[in-house]
Amino acid sequence: MTTTTGVATPAGAVGSAHTRLEGRAKVTGAARYSGEVPFPELAHGWLVLSTVTRGRVRSVEDGPVLDMPGVLAVLHQGNAPRVNLGYMGMLDRPNPVIGLFQQDRVPFAGWPVALVVAETPEQAREAAEALVVQYETEPHDVEFRAGHPDAYTPRSTPLVEAETEKGDLEARLGASAVVVDEAYTTPEEHHHAMEPHAATARWEGGRLDVIDSNQGSTWVVSELAQLFSLDPASVRVRAEHVGGAFGSKGLAPHLVAAVMATTVLRRPVRVVLTRRQMFTLVGYRSPTAQRIRIGADADGRLRAFEHLAQSVTSTVHEFVETSAVLGRVMYDADAHHTRHRVVRLDVPTPTWMRAPGEAPGSFALESALDELAEKCGVDPVELRLLNEPERGPVSGLPFSSRNVAACFEEGARRFGWADRDHRPGLRREGRWLLGTGTAAASYPAGVGPSTAAVTAEPDGGFTVRINAADVGTGARTAMALVAADALGVRPDRIRVRIADSDLGPAMIAGGSMGTRSWAWAVTIAANDLRERLALGGGIPPEGITTRSDTAEAIGALAAKERHSFGAQFAEVAVDTDTGEVRVRRLLGIFAAGTIVNPLTARSQLVGGMTWGLSMALHEEAARDRATGAHVGADLAGYHYAAHADVPPIEADWVDDPVPGDPIGIKGIGEIGIVGVAAAIANAVWHATGVRHRDLPIRPDRVLRAAEEVRRRVAGGGARSA
C-alpha cells in the first residue's frame, strides 16, 4: 500500500519494540543534563539549611563569609528578592518552602535559611558550611502514630475527595458472616532519582532562561512567572534530559534560589542539591496508619467495606497521601466508606511519589483481602474475581475498560497458581520456608490538555514538536512511533523536539498521564498534516506545519472510570532463624490499553515492581525525635533493594481495547509498584503462617513473629498470628 506521503506504509510502529532515540547519547555521555550545560561566567549556589527543627532565625552572620575567596553573595531573609506566594498554581497553592528567605520562621529541620553564591561549587560549599546562623528554638513534634490526637479530615480538592460514604456500615458489618478488622502501617519513604535536582538560571535578551530537571516545563514556567510576578512569555524553561523524577521534580527551592541569585548578580547561576538536602527539600512519601474493616458473606462476597487512612503533613502546607482511593475503584459493597485523615507535624511537606496513594493503600487493602480469603477458605484469586464490580463502586460510572479478570487468569496460568496448597507453613526447602501471594493493582488513566506541531520537511523527514518531558520513560521514542503511524511512514523519518516551554503548553510527565496526553496531540497534528499532504504540491523550504490543541476534545470526553489494572504474583523464601526474606519470583500482568513501545513499557513495569519489592522489605526513613532530623539521611543509611535482592521479574500485559476512546493509551508509569508489597507480604504469610501488617518486613520483625509463633505452639495456641 502507498500512503499520501508517497512511501510504502510500514507495519504499525506503535506496538513494536524500539530502542530509545537518545540512547546512544546517554550511554556515551553526549546527553547533557541540567547540571552539565556549560555557560560563560557561571556562578554556583549552595543552600544553607536550618539545623533546628522549629523556631526563628535571629541572625545570619554573613560578613565573614563574604570575605572568603570566590564568594559573590549571601542571600537570606534580610536581602533576598521578594516573591509572591498568594497564587493558585496548576495543582494547588504553592508549598511555602519555595518562598525562600521571605520570613524568619523555621517550621522543620532542613528549612532553607540562606544561599551562598561563589565562583566555584567548592568555594560555595566551603563558605556555606562556615556560615553562622543564630536561632531561637521552640519545642517540636515529629512523631507520627495511629490515633494521633491532632488528626483531622483534610479539605477535599479537585485532586482528591477526602471522604466518601454510602450505606449503613455498622449494620452491614454486624450482619456479615465474616469480618476482617485490622490495622496496617507503612513508613516514610523517599524518591531519590539518579540525577539530583539541579537548575541553571540566567537572564538572556530580557527573558529568564532556565535549564532545569523537571517533569513539565509548562508547569514550571507558570509557577515561576507567578512567583516572581513575571509575564509568562518572558520565561523559558528547558529540560532536555531528566534522570528520573517519580513525582519530586516540580518547582523546588534550588530553582527558586538560582533565579533569585541570577536576578541579583546578573550572571548565570547553578544550584544543585546534595543527596542529604533532597531528604528535606523535595518531598517524600508520608508514613501511613491505615485501618481496613471488611464484612462479607461466608463465600467471600463483600457486604461492608471501610478504609481509613491517616498520613502526615507539615505545619506550613497540606498534602494528603491518598491511601484510601484504591477501594473506591477496586471493590464494591452495600456499605462503602473511605476517609483520609492528616496530622500536622514539624516535618517537611510530603509530596507525590510513584503511585501516590495507591502504593501504600494497596498494601493495606490487598493484605486485608488476603486475610478475608483465609477466613472464608476461598482462594485469593477467586475472592477477587468474585468481587469484580460492574461500575465504579463510588462514582457509579462505567469503566472505559476493566480487564482485571484477564490479568488474574493469565497471571495464575503463568505463575502455576493452580498447584498452590492454600495452607501456610507447609513448603520447605532446606532452611527456607516457601510461600506465594498475590494482589490486585490499579491506577488512574488520566489525560491533560496539550498542544503539538508536526512539520513536513523539504528533505522528506518530519519534525514533531511537543513540550513533553522525558523523565526516563522513553517519551521521545514513543512520540516518534505515534507520529510515524499517524503519518504512515517509518519511525526513522521522524525527528522529535521536546522539553522546551517555547514549544507550547503540554501536560506534565506525572500521574501516568504524559504519554496518553502527548500522543493525542501528536496524532491530531499528524493526521491533519497527512490530509494536507494528500492535496499534493511541493514542500516549501520552511516546510508545512500543522498544529493541535486537545483542550476542547478532552473537555468533551464522556465521564467514565478510566484506569489501568493488573495482577501481581510473588514467591518468597523465609529463614525464620535469621529473619531473612528473599523474593524468588515476581510476575505482573497488566491491562493498560495500547502499549506504544513494548521495550520501554516492560522496563517501566519491571522498575515499578522492583520498587515495590524495595518497599516491602527495605525502605524506611527514620527521624530522631530529639532533634527532629533524619537518621542516616543518605543512600548508605536509607536502605533500598540492591541488585542481589532482585529476582527475575516478569512483566507482561493482556489485550486491553478501550472502546470509543480516541487514543486507547492508558499509562504504565505508576501501576507497576501497586500491589507488589501486598503480594510479597501475603507470600510471607503463606510461607510462615504469620501476618506482617507493618512495612518493611525486616529481619527483626520476622524473628519476633517466629518467636511468638513458637511460644503459642508450645502453649497449645493457634499457629497463625
CSV table of all heavy atoms in Angstrom, one decimal, residues 89 109 150 201 339 388 508 549 651 700:
chain,number,residue,atom,x,y,z
A,89,GLY,N,-1.6,27.6,41.9
A,89,GLY,CA,-0.8,27.0,40.9
A,89,GLY,C,-1.6,26.0,40.1
A,89,GLY,O,-2.8,25.8,40.3
A,109,ALA,N,13.4,20.9,60.4
A,109,ALA,CA,14.8,20.8,60.2
A,109,ALA,C,15.1,20.6,58.7
A,109,ALA,O,14.5,19.8,58.0
A,109,ALA,CB,15.3,19.5,61.0
A,150,ASP,N,-4.3,15.0,67.2
A,150,ASP,CA,-4.4,16.1,66.4
A,150,ASP,C,-4.8,15.8,64.9
A,150,ASP,O,-4.8,16.7,64.1
A,150,ASP,CB,-3.2,17.0,66.4
A,150,ASP,CG,-2.8,17.5,67.8
A,150,ASP,OD1,-3.8,17.8,68.5
A,150,ASP,OD2,-1.7,17.7,68.1
A,201,ALA,N,20.0,29.2,36.0
A,201,ALA,CA,19.2,30.3,35.6
A,201,ALA,C,20.0,31.4,35.1
A,201,ALA,O,21.1,31.7,35.6
A,201,ALA,CB,18.3,30.7,36.7
A,339,ARG,N,-12.1,7.2,54.1
A,339,ARG,CA,-11.8,8.5,54.7
A,339,ARG,C,-10.3,8.7,54.9
A,339,ARG,O,-9.6,7.8,55.3
A,339,ARG,CB,-12.5,8.6,56.1
A,339,ARG,CG,-12.4,9.9,56.8
A,339,ARG,CD,-13.1,9.8,58.2
A,339,ARG,NE,-13.1,11.1,58.8
A,339,ARG,CZ,-13.5,11.3,60.1
A,339,ARG,NH1,-13.8,10.3,60.8
A,339,ARG,NH2,-13.5,12.5,60.6
A,388,GLU,N,-15.6,-8.6,41.6
A,388,GLU,CA,-15.4,-7.6,40.5
A,388,GLU,C,-16.7,-6.8,40.3
A,388,GLU,O,-17.8,-7.3,40.1
A,388,GLU,CB,-15.2,-8.4,39.2
A,388,GLU,CG,-13.7,-8.7,38.9
A,388,GLU,CD,-13.0,-7.4,38.6
A,388,GLU,OE1,-13.0,-6.9,37.5
A,388,GLU,OE2,-12.3,-6.9,39.5
A,508,ILE,N,2.2,17.6,32.0
A,508,ILE,CA,3.4,17.2,32.7
A,508,ILE,C,3.6,15.7,32.6
A,508,ILE,O,2.7,14.9,32.2
A,508,ILE,CB,3.4,17.6,34.2
A,508,ILE,CG1,2.2,16.8,34.9
A,508,ILE,CG2,3.2,19.1,34.4
A,508,ILE,CD1,2.3,17.0,36.4
A,549,ASP,N,-4.4,21.3,19.5
A,549,ASP,CA,-4.7,21.6,20.8
A,549,ASP,C,-5.8,20.7,21.3
A,549,ASP,O,-6.9,20.8,20.7
A,549,ASP,CB,-5.1,23.1,21.0
A,549,ASP,CG,-5.2,23.5,22.4
A,549,ASP,OD1,-5.4,22.7,23.3
A,549,ASP,OD2,-5.1,24.8,22.7
A,651,ALA,N,7.2,-9.0,33.6
A,651,ALA,CA,6.1,-8.1,33.4
A,651,ALA,C,5.5,-8.3,32.0
A,651,ALA,O,6.3,-8.3,31.0
A,651,ALA,CB,6.5,-6.7,33.7
A,700,ASP,N,14.3,-8.4,61.9
A,700,ASP,CA,13.9,-8.4,63.3
A,700,ASP,C,12.5,-8.6,63.5
A,700,ASP,O,12.1,-9.3,64.5
A,700,ASP,CB,14.4,-7.1,64.0
A,700,ASP,CG,13.7,-5.9,63.4
A,700,ASP,OD1,13.7,-5.7,62.2
A,700,ASP,OD2,13.0,-5.1,64.2
